[in-house]
Amino acid sequence: MADINELLNKLNEEQIKPVLDTEGAVLVIAGAGSGKTRVLTTRIAYLVLEKGVYPSEIMAITFTNKAADEMKKRLERIIDGTEYMWVSTIHSMCVRILRRDIEKIGYDKNFTVYDETDKERVLKRVITEFGYDVDKFLKQSKNYISIAKNDCLTPDAFKSEYAHLHFIDELTAIYREYDNQLMRSNSLDFDDLLLRTYQLFNDHDEVLDYYSEKFRYIHIDEFQDTNKVQFEIAKMLARKHGNIFVVGDDDQSIYGWRGAKIENILSFDKIFHGTKTYKLQRNYRSTKKILQLANCIIKNNVGRKDKELFTENSDGARVETFVGTDENNEATFAAIQIKNLMARTDLTYKDFAVFMRVNALSRAFEQEFPKYGIPYRIFGGFKFFERKEIKDALSYLKLINNPFDDEAFLRCIGVPRRGIGDKTIAELREYCVGTGLCLYEGLLHLDQTTIGTAAKTKLYNFRRLMDGLREYANRNSVPKLLKFVLDSTSFTEQFAEETEDNTSRLYNISELVNSAEQFVKDNVGATLADYLCSTSLAADTDSINEDDCVTVATIHAVKGLEFKCVFIAGLDESILPIQRSSGDENELEEERRLMYVAITRARERLYLTRANSRFMYGDRAFMRHSRFLKEAQPVLNPTAYEKEKKSGIFESKYWGDADDGFPSPDNTTSGYSSSYAKNYMNNTLKENKSANFNGYKRGIKVKHAKFGEGTVIDVKGTGENLIVDVAFKGVGIKALAVKYAPMEIING
């Protein structure tokens, strides 16, 4: 057991105060990197070691299993009796409570918890039984039922609250019957774990009394991420003793789209009268220059607690900016910077991260990083070509290219939905297995099967569709074919509802078209088979070193993590901030908090990047700089900022906007950068005496660690700035910086 004085001596003056304040409601506004986990664990230790509180009287709630495990391990090292303490996520806590008392609200304690797949199956069955359109109502009902449960709304209350919805009667009926079926199955979904606990506490005072008396001290981490039902449960648990200690940062509240309410932390002291509020503003993570930028950005939000991070760390490297000609150029800049920093520092791949607002932006990095032998992983998502919507779209191209591909057949016949059921597919498969045909060939022999008339008609229609697509493929390029497939199948209509997920999927589909256009542009005369081969290579993860690799992730996925070197990509208006936030001040402030979270993940180096043009929603569009770059100008370019203040005009040409009259860079491997980053090919390519730059000439053979053998077909630049275009068999033409590409000459 640790000595409490030793633990307290490790805290700074700001951190000690909330640790020693043990009674009543305590709110700790903990800035990024301010040591909040240490404060939480030390306070719990103080209660046990100094105040004589039994571990069984203490509850600590976190919002991820990883955070809960880390807190348990820390506590086990400093106090005894942690096995009697409740340290868990709020959902795990609710399961424990429900296992004990759920019978009081009509369930058996051996209930089943449904995952999202189970939930969808039940909803599909309910919607079908009502005779509603599954495609129209599945996603709507799934989303609204979750919203209703997180807001403690019964079906009747939901109908009253959302009376303005066009299909409110249908959605209410689905919600009610869905709940009925779950109850008949003695099952709960993920949201029910919270809602049924709230219901149990609300309807049975004796149960609530038991837990509110049992837990004299309640601790809740990441309080800015709580939704309504979570806050209601917390208030109920604290009603006996009133000892509730919450830690959070309103500036890091970024989950409003999934129900989190920033008002919970902003109004905490109004709900719990007599709340003592403390602020942790000393940052132990980042350099002074990184924090200066973070403070500069977040101060533009109105709905926040006033605070400003500071640190005793060094000033550190200046924050760099870069504007690429396009998204590939932007990704190449990151690749070159990573290789250059690793060549002259002790950084490893796992010290680097690339953050973005939407997953779709990762495609360019997934395309460029392998050129330079940079291992990477997609954190919180799939690699681009492994995402479902991408695999679904590509399945059409695969079936066009190879009609014998039964797996492609099974995928594309079901997306978008055509009303061809499992029974029909099973009958078709049975016939094809018996006759030795592939599924596509089986469509020519439907009259010899036992399939019903209506199903046969749908299968005939699918065959006619595919025949038309194959005919189109014979006389058109891959990009045109892909666009034709998407249009002919109404593929994107399944993502018509405006949700966070659908926005990301539409971005991904537009990026897929971009990848096809880029491939054909780089590989004149390339065939459909060549393109499909390149996508398969891009999806190959065998060579990725999971122990040491660059993290490529959305900002939402990396909250709570930190890296020595961070690239924030896609700093264009309509991407960050996302387009739908325009005109909505609350959503815009959440976008600004996303920017703040991304900045404060960086410890030593930070790069802000954007592109003059991007392929968006099927077209290449000129992009404008993010408003957050303008807000950052006092830190990034104080001279220009002072000039702006005097003139009242913001010099957007500083960011290389394509539509501001400022000449954009040539469409080469080099992009345009700020005064900090200039031409990166000249600025970042450092000494490398061992490279045989003079040996690279047109016609020579080379071997690349990722792409295999190829032939140099063009050479640009000289010396350490040498760029070569190499044609690789089955992969296409790749532009590579000789200094950093894992490549060698295999003949003179």
Side-chain angles (χ1 to χ4, degrees):
M1 188 175 292
D3 180 87
I4 190 60
N5 291 321
E6 286 184 14
L7 296 175
L8 294 176
N9 287 336
K10 294 178 181 179
L11 304 180
N12 65 38
E13 186 177 346
E14 282 186 341
Q15 295 170 327
I16 289 176
K17 292 176 181 178
V19 168
L20 302 182
D21 195 344
T22 60
E23 306 305 307
V26 177
L27 169 63
V28 180
I29 303 297
S34 62
K36 66 181 178 64
T37 304
R38 173 168 287 183
V39 169
L40 267 169
T41 54
T42 304
R43 185 180 197 266
I44 292 172
Y46 183 78
L47 286 170
V48 174
L49 300 177
E50 190 68 18
K51 292 293 184 177
V53 176
Y54 291 112
S56 61
E57 296 177 309
I58 296 173
M59 171 186 286
I61 298 300
T62 68
F63 280 79
T64 66
N65 289 320
K66 181 180 179 181
D69 291 341
E70 175 62 26
M71 188 177 294
K72 287 177 185 176
K73 290 176 182 176
R74 289 197 189 192
L75 288 169
E76 287 170 357
R77 291 195 292 265
I78 57 179
I79 59 175
D80 296 330
T82 55
E83 65 271 24
Y84 303 110
M85 195 181 297
W86 283 29
V87 181
S88 69
T89 65
I90 192 167
H91 289 88
S92 296
M93 177 200 77
C94 288
V95 168
R96 293 183 70 173
I97 292 170
L98 293 172
R99 290 291 185 202
R100 181 179 182 271
D101 289 302
I102 198 171
E103 291 174 339
K104 291 180 171 60
I105 56 173
Y107 293 82
D108 185 274
K109 63 179 61 178
N110 294 318
F111 59 85
T112 298
V113 179
Y114 277 180
D115 62 17
E116 290 302 297
T117 300
D118 298 324
K119 181 177 181 178
E120 285 196 4
R121 287 173 179 168
V122 176
L123 281 171
K124 287 178 182 177
R125 183 165 61 249
V126 170
I127 294 168
T128 301
E129 289 172 353
F130 276 125
Y132 301 155
D133 187 332
V134 173
D135 291 337
K136 179 185 292 186
F137 284 102
L138 179 60
K139 290 183 179 178
Q140 281 196 75
S141 58
K142 183 179 178 182
N143 290 338
Y144 277 114
I145 288 172
S146 183
I147 289 170
K149 291 185 175 184
N150 285 328
D151 283 345
C152 308
L153 299 176
T154 63
D156 288 339
F158 167 72
K159 184 175 183 179
S160 177
E161 183 79 14
Y162 289 86
H164 61 281
L165 291 179
H166 184 57
F167 295 105
I168 186 59
D169 290 337
E170 291 87 344
L171 290 171
T172 301
I174 293 169
Y175 179 12
R176 182 177 287 109
E177 180 56 27
Y178 168 75
D179 264 6
N180 288 339
Q181 291 206 17
L182 257 62
M183 190 167 190
R184 287 196 295 270
S185 301
N186 192 40
S187 300
L188 306 178
D189 63 24
F190 206 57
D191 297 317
D192 277 328
L193 295 176
L194 302 174
L195 181 61
R196 300 310 168 199
T197 300
Y198 167 79
Q199 179 186 345
L200 179 64
F201 285 171
N202 196 55
D203 295 347
H204 297 273
D205 277 346
E206 74 281 9
V207 177
L208 178 56
D209 285 344
Y210 171 80
Y211 287 103
S212 60
E213 289 174 359
K214 171 181 173 59
F215 296 112
R216 291 173 54 205
Y217 295 91
I218 298 164
H219 304 75
I220 304 177
D221 193 11
E222 302 287 1
F223 195 71
Q224 77 280 349
D225 293 333
T226 55
N227 57 31
K228 180 176 180 178
V229 67
Q230 290 166 346
F231 196 13
E232 291 299 323
I233 291 172
K235 288 190 289 186
M236 288 174 162
L237 287 170
R239 79 172 187 175
K240 283 287 184 180
H241 299 287
N243 297 326
I244 182 169
F245 181 94
V246 301
V247 183
D249 182 7
D250 50 300
D251 288 336
Q252 296 186 68
S253 178
I254 60 174
Y255 296 109
W257 52 276
R258 69 181 190 194
K261 296 187 180 298
I262 193 173
E263 298 82 9
N264 290 350
I265 193 168
L266 294 178
S267 62
F268 183 85
D269 54 352
K270 297 179 180 65
I271 295 171
F272 288 92
H273 299 295
T275 293
K276 283 86 71 178
T277 301
Y278 300 93
K279 295 180 182 179
L280 306 183
Q281 300 177 94
R282 178 178 173 181
N283 177 283
Y284 290 89
R285 176 186 300 155
S286 305
T287 64
K288 285 185 174 68
K289 288 181 178 176
I290 291 171
L291 290 188
Q292 187 183 11
L293 179 63
N295 289 327
C296 180
I297 293 290
I298 201 61
K299 72 179 182 182
N300 292 284
N301 271 6
V302 176
R304 65 186 290 261
K305 301 275 189 180
D306 184 48
K307 58 186 172 298
E308 185 166 330
L309 297 181
F310 70 94
T311 186
E312 294 182 7
N313 294 339
S314 67
D315 281 351
R318 61 192 177 189
V319 176
E320 302 272 0
T321 60
F322 176 80
V323 182
T325 54
D326 57 23
E327 61 274 21
N328 289 343
N329 190 217
E330 180 185 32
T332 299
F333 168 74
I336 296 296
Q337 288 289 350
I338 290 169
K339 298 297 288 189
N340 182 57
L341 284 169
M342 289 185 64
R344 59 186 176 87
T345 69
D346 60 356
L347 292 171
T348 60
Y349 287 119
K350 64 183 177 183
D351 292 321
F352 294 88
V354 179
F355 300 156
M356 55 205 63
R357 177 61 178 86
V358 291
N359 268 324
L361 270 62
S362 70
R363 185 199 64 81
F365 295 92
E366 295 183 63
Q367 178 173 305
E368 297 301 319
F369 280 4
K371 292 181 180 179
Y372 302 98
I374 297 176
Y376 65 92
R377 65 189 173 106
I378 304 299
F379 189 91
F382 297 102
K383 286 172 63 66
F384 182 81
F385 290 109
E386 293 176 350
R387 291 166 183 149
K388 182 181 184 304
E389 62 271 17
I390 300 303
K391 291 174 72 69
D392 287 342
L394 286 176
S395 67
Y396 284 92
L397 302 191
K398 290 180 178 180
L399 190 59
I400 290 168
N401 182 64
N402 177 18
F404 297 97
D405 189 341
D406 281 354
E407 289 301 314
F409 180 98
L410 290 171
R411 181 176 281 273
C412 66
I413 199 171
V415 181
R417 297 184 183 279
R418 298 179 172 82
I420 300 174
D422 292 341
K423 180 181 178 182
T424 299
I425 295 298
E427 289 182 73
L428 177 62
R429 181 189 287 276
E430 182 180 358
Y431 171 78
C432 289
V433 169
T435 57
L437 300 174
C438 68
L439 293 175
Y440 192 78
E441 288 176 317
L443 297 181
L444 292 174
H445 305 276
L446 293 177
D447 290 337
Q448 300 173 31
T449 70
T450 59
I451 297 172
T453 303
K456 282 181 181 177
T457 300
K458 294 172 183 176
L459 290 172
Y460 281 134
N461 290 339
F462 178 71
R463 174 72 192 222
R464 282 196 293 270
L465 169 68
M466 292 306 305
D467 286 346
L469 294 177
R470 296 188 69 198
E471 181 181 350
Y472 188 90
N474 291 331
R475 41 192 177 80
N476 288 280
S477 67
V478 175
K480 286 185 178 180
L481 171 62
L482 180 54
K483 291 177 183 177
F484 188 70
V485 167
L486 296 173
D487 290 338
S488 299
T489 60
S490 301
F491 190 86
T492 59
E493 287 184 12
Q494 60 190 310
F495 312 130
E497 184 184 358
E498 292 186 3
T499 66
E500 181 87 4
D501 287 343
N502 283 349
T503 297
S504 180
R505 289 175 181 127
L506 288 171
Y507 271 122
N508 290 341
I509 294 301
S510 71
E511 280 294 309
L512 178 63
V513 177
N514 182 27
S515 77
E517 294 198 335
Q518 189 69 43
F519 183 83
V520 170
K521 178 181 177 182
D522 293 343
N523 302 274
V524 178
T527 65
L528 175 58
D530 294 332
Y531 173 66
L532 292 173
C533 182
S534 76
T535 65
S536 297
L537 180 62
D540 181 14
T541 60
D542 292 342
S543 64
I544 300 300
N545 185 343
E546 295 293 338
D547 295 326
D548 186 22
C549 53
V550 176
T551 292
V552 180
T554 63
I555 303 170
H556 283 106
V558 295
K559 185 171 169 292
L561 302 178
E562 61 183 64
F563 300 86
K564 288 184 179 180
C565 183
V566 167
F567 295 82
I568 305 177
L571 283 172
D572 302 304
E573 200 71 7
S574 80
I575 295 179
L576 183 60
I578 201 76
Q579 185 171 0
R580 66 172 176 274
S581 67
S582 178
D584 187 322
E585 195 58 35
N586 289 332
E587 286 203 23
L588 184 58
E589 291 211 347
E590 180 154 323
E591 293 294 301
R592 191 174 286 110
R593 292 194 293 270
L594 265 176
M595 180 70 176
Y596 175 81
V597 166
I599 292 170
T600 55
R601 300 311 93 196
R603 292 168 55 187
E604 299 175 2
R605 294 178 180 272
L606 178 63
Y607 295 83
L608 309 178
T609 70
R610 57 171 300 266
N612 273 330
S613 75
R614 293 185 188 278
F615 198 87
M616 303 280 288
Y617 301 114
D619 293 300
R620 180 155 294 280
F622 292 117
M623 309 302 295
R624 292 190 61 82
H625 64 267
S626 166
R627 69 187 69 193
F628 300 148
L629 287 174
K630 178 180 179 180
E631 293 173 1
Q633 196 181 19
V635 173
L636 298 177
N637 192 3
T639 302
Y641 175 67
E642 289 302 321
K643 183 178 179 180
E644 176 195 358
K645 282 174 59 177
K646 292 177 182 178
S647 66
I649 300 173
F650 174 59
E651 292 194 351
S652 60
K653 70 180 181 181
Y654 172 74
W655 298 109
D657 281 346
D659 58 351
D660 61 5
F662 188 76
S664 298
D666 295 332
N667 188 19
T668 66
T669 56
S670 175
Y672 173 80
S673 68
S674 74
S675 56
Y676 290 155
K678 296 186 179 179
N679 186 308
Y680 74 88
M681 292 304 294
N682 293 324
N683 190 45
T684 65
L685 294 177
K686 303 299 181 183
E687 293 185 7
N688 187 345
K689 304 297 185 183
S690 63
N692 181 17
F693 299 115
N694 294 329
Y696 286 87
K697 299 176 182 179
R698 291 182 183 179
I700 70 160
K701 299 293 184 182
V702 297
K703 186 174 183 180
H704 189 281
K706 178 75 173 180
F707 306 125
E709 294 186 6
T711 303
V712 175
I713 61 174
D714 197 9
V715 179
K716 308 167 189 174
T718 60
E720 294 178 352
N721 295 334
L722 188 66
I723 303 294
V724 295
D725 289 344
V726 182
F728 294 100
K729 184 178 181 181
V731 178
I733 299 171
K734 301 292 182 182
L736 302 168
V738 173
K739 177 177 173 63
Y740 292 118
M743 177 175 62
E744 61 182 359
I745 296 173
I746 57 177
N747 70 350

